[in-house]
């Protein structure tokens, strides 16, 4: 069985609290309990992650796997790197989206000669779209399930439900670490996702509605 965890944080490389701690501890725990399960993880390659990895003399290897998506009216391209020495630990690189001053702070980018700051919702919408695109390639075959964490990755359940054929649809488990943060944004932030949500998006609600299993921490 192949399971991909999709999370905005992963200790000790990029985290603000318990979310990152859980994301880091789960892979090893699951492998010890179920040796036959392949449990990977995908996290954004933030500026903070680069700095922490460099300080620890840890290196990343290019998987040659990439993702593309148009979100917030702009095209984004991401590349996946694997962490040397850790099985199935992956980071998604897309500097225009992830190279902000913090995990939840965006940096301005230049678009057609103007400086604009993408909405935070676009950062995590791209993480979701990229995870769906790259996971089968990274695992060398179909993904059996996704484990998504908090509002940042929750819409993956909705995206899988809307796009995957019913006979081969991966299962999706959503773990809520902090219910107070739900990822509200206006429809204009990610218009590509707002077709059935003209009044705006609630990322966490999308996950709760479409996930096969919801757990809490």
């Amino acid at each position: 069985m192949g399971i991909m965890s999709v999370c905005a944080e992963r200790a000790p490389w990029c985290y603000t609290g318990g979310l990152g701690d859980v994301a880091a501890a789960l892979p090893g725990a699951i492998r010890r309990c179920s040796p036959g399960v392949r449990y990977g993880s995908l996290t954004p390659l933030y500026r903070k992650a680069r700095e922490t990895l460099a300080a620890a003399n840890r290196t990343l290897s290019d998987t040659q796997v990439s993702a593309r998506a148009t979100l917030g009216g702009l095209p984004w391209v991401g590349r996946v790197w694997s962490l040397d020495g850790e099985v199935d630990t992956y980071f998604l690189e897309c500097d225009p989206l992830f190279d902000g001053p913090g995990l939840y702070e965006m940096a301005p980018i230049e678009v057609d000669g103007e400086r604009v700051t993408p909405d935070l919702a676009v950062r995590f919408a791209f993480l979701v779209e990229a995870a769906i695109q790259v996971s089968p390639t990274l695992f060398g075959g179909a993904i059996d399930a996704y484990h998504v964490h908090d509002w940042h990755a929750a819409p993956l359940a909705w995206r899988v439900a809307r796009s995957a054929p019913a006979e081969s649809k991966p299962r999706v488990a959503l773990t809520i670490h902090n219910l107070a943060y739900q990822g509200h944004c206006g429809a204009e932030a990610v218009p590509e996702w707002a077709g059935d949500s003209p009044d705006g998006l609630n990322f966490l609600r999308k996950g709760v509605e479409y996930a096969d299993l919801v757990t809490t921490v």
Side-chain angles (χ1 to χ4, degrees):
M1 173 178 284
I3 303 172
M4 181 64 86
S5 170
V6 185
C7 193
E9 302 184 17
R10 185 183 172 94
W13 316 117
C14 49
Y15 74 112
T16 61
L19 171 60
D21 290 326
V22 172
L26 270 176
I30 289 176
R31 292 187 195 105
R32 288 191 296 272
C33 294
S34 304
V37 173
R38 184 176 180 183
Y39 187 93
S41 66
L42 182 67
T43 308
L45 186 57
Y46 305 103
R47 182 190 307 173
K48 176 63 175 177
R50 290 185 186 275
E51 294 171 349
T52 309
L53 288 162
N57 293 317
R58 299 297 299 274
T59 57
L60 297 173
S61 296
D62 191 350
T63 67
Q64 303 296 318
V65 176
S66 60
R68 298 173 181 271
T70 297
L71 297 160
L74 295 172
W76 308 100
V77 179
R79 184 166 55 167
V80 180
W81 297 78
S82 62
L83 179 58
D84 291 346
E86 292 195 19
V87 178
D88 294 329
T89 298
Y90 302 105
F91 288 93
L92 176 65
E93 177 188 49
C94 180
D95 285 348
L97 281 179
F98 301 138
D99 190 36
L103 274 59
Y104 305 111
E105 300 170 77
M106 301 295 292
I109 60 174
E110 186 168 311
V111 178
D112 297 331
E114 296 184 7
R115 300 286 284 177
V116 300
T117 302
D119 195 287
L120 186 63
V122 176
R123 168 178 284 185
F124 296 114
F126 184 64
L127 174 64
V128 165
E129 296 287 0
I132 295 171
Q133 291 180 33
V134 307
S135 295
T137 303
L138 292 173
F139 275 25
I143 289 289
D144 296 294
Y146 290 96
H147 186 185
V148 298
H149 300 264
D150 268 353
W151 72 265
H152 325 99
L156 186 145
W158 165 63
R159 296 295 294 142
V160 166
R162 294 290 297 271
S163 60
E167 63 274 10
S168 60
K169 184 177 80 70
R171 308 285 277 180
V172 181
L174 165 64
T175 295
I176 300 173
H177 299 256
N178 192 334
L179 186 61
Y181 297 97
Q182 300 185 9
H184 294 276
C185 67
E188 71 283 356
V190 192
E192 298 82 4
W193 281 12
D196 59 352
S197 304
D199 296 326
L201 294 163
N202 179 316
F203 275 39
L204 187 60
R205 179 176 178 177
K206 288 289 190 186
V208 171
E209 287 180 338
Y210 287 91
D212 298 288
L213 175 69
V214 178
T215 66
T216 59
V217 173

